Amino acid sequence: KAGVTQTPRYLIKTRGQQVTLSCSPISGHRSVSWYQQTPGQGLQFLFEYFSETQRNKGNFPGRFSGRQFSNSRSEMNVSTLELGDSALYLCASSQTAGGRGDTQYFGPGTRLTVL
Amino acid sequence: DQQVKQNSPSLSVQEGRISILNCDYTNSMFDYFLWYKKYPAEGPTFLISISSIKDKNEDGRFTVFLNKSAKHLSLHIVPSQPGDSAVYFCAASRSNSGNEKLTFGTGTRLTIIP
């Protein structure tokens, strides 16, 4: 079974631009969660989608948004990029909503650099 | 407010010895704890977990200890092997709240010295 895939793997943008990241979950998984990893903050939860609905949201500004499609693929969008948005963005999939950590499978991440 | 803290950013251990990684949490509502391992250019992978009804869980070379009164958990790896060199994250969740998002620590980089 193929793992979680994320595209692109690397991205360089400038301040003020917007960016869209994509995540394809493991086949059969209906829940996708997004995390931001930075050196000083570790992994911080952004949001979770299940069956095309946002089920849970972390403490990030409204510039961070996401959506999930009927095939469970998910996209994350960041508008008006700031330097502090430079991070590794990870998505994780699980079969059920709010899957416990031991049933979440992470993708390799998208490394976003904002110049 | 960092609810899950890993106060040691890095740790170096001789191969064959015991590695002990520590994690503290502040939210007493957390009742499920996990450790993840992350290699460069890969996503975190689940390593071991423990429910708050237990104080120890063992899986091969890996043992997690939970001290609820101290709000502290630790991961023991024995014997340590070069392949254990990675960043280790602890995470916590509230399993019965319907809000099972994971709260992660900042990670500890473990280096095993051959």
Side-chain angles (χ1 to χ4, degrees):
Chain A
K1 192 183 269 192
V4 178
T5 58
Q6 291 187 246
T7 57
R9 293 294 310 277
Y10 302 92
L11 205 48
I12 299 175
K13 292 285 188 179
T14 56
R15 278 183 301 173
Q17 286 187 308
Q18 74 155 20
V19 66
T20 299
L21 313 181
S22 180
C23 172
S24 293
I26 291 172
S27 177
H29 285 195
R30 296 168 61 193
S31 170
V32 173
S33 298
W34 288 89
Y35 294 85
Q36 180 195 64
Q37 184 191 352
T38 55
Q41 299 292 322
L43 277 78
Q44 293 189 291
F45 174 79
L46 279 153
F47 28 63
E48 179 198 2
Y49 286 87
F50 180 80
S51 294
E52 302 178 65
T53 301
Q54 187 180 89
R55 185 178 173 275
N56 221 332
K57 192 177 189 307
N59 298 323
F60 278 81
R63 299 185 297 108
F64 292 81
S65 63
R67 59 177 175 169
Q68 187 179 34
F69 301 94
S70 58
N71 62 358
S72 294
R73 189 177 70 85
S74 176
E75 286 183 348
M76 188 193 111
N77 184 276
V78 188
S79 62
T80 319
L81 283 166
E82 300 177 359
L83 294 178
D85 297 333
S86 294
L88 180 68
Y89 291 88
L90 294 157
C91 82
S93 77
S94 61
Q95 282 189 315
T96 57
R100 284 193 335 183
D102 53 353
T103 62
Q104 286 198 25
Y105 298 85
F106 283 84
T110 294
R111 171 75 61 189
L112 171 64
T113 301
V114 182
L115 302 176
Chain B
D1 175 34
Q2 195 74 26
Q3 296 188 63
V4 178
K5 300 176 186 178
Q6 294 176 257
N7 293 318
S8 298
S10 62
L11 176 68
S12 294
V13 174
Q14 205 77 31
E15 181 180 359
R17 306 295 288 268
I18 184 170
S19 295
I20 300 176
L21 295 96
N22 294 302
C23 179
D24 298 293
Y25 61 96
T26 57
N27 189 339
S28 57
M29 300 298 288
F30 288 142
D31 60 1
Y32 193 70
F33 306 89
L34 310 95
W35 284 95
Y36 283 82
K37 178 179 180 179
K38 185 180 185 300
Y39 292 119
E42 295 182 13
T45 54
F46 168 73
L47 196 56
I48 192 169
S49 63
I50 188 166
S51 165
S52 60
I53 62 173
K54 293 185 172 183
D55 53 20
K56 177 183 173 181
N57 188 26
E58 193 172 352
D59 183 2
R61 297 185 298 113
F62 302 92
T63 303
V64 57
F65 295 91
L66 176 62
N67 182 333
K68 288 188 290 292
S69 60
K71 294 191 180 67
H72 176 83
L73 63 153
S74 60
L75 174 68
H76 292 210
I77 306 173
V78 55
S80 300
Q81 299 174 354
D84 296 330
S85 294
V87 177
Y88 289 79
F89 291 96
C90 69
S93 70
R94 299 163 53 188
S95 59
N96 294 321
S97 68
N99 178 24
E100 297 180 23
K101 69 181 179 74
L102 296 173
T103 301
F104 283 85
T106 52
T108 296
R109 181 177 301 277
L110 175 65
T111 303
I112 305 301
I113 305 164

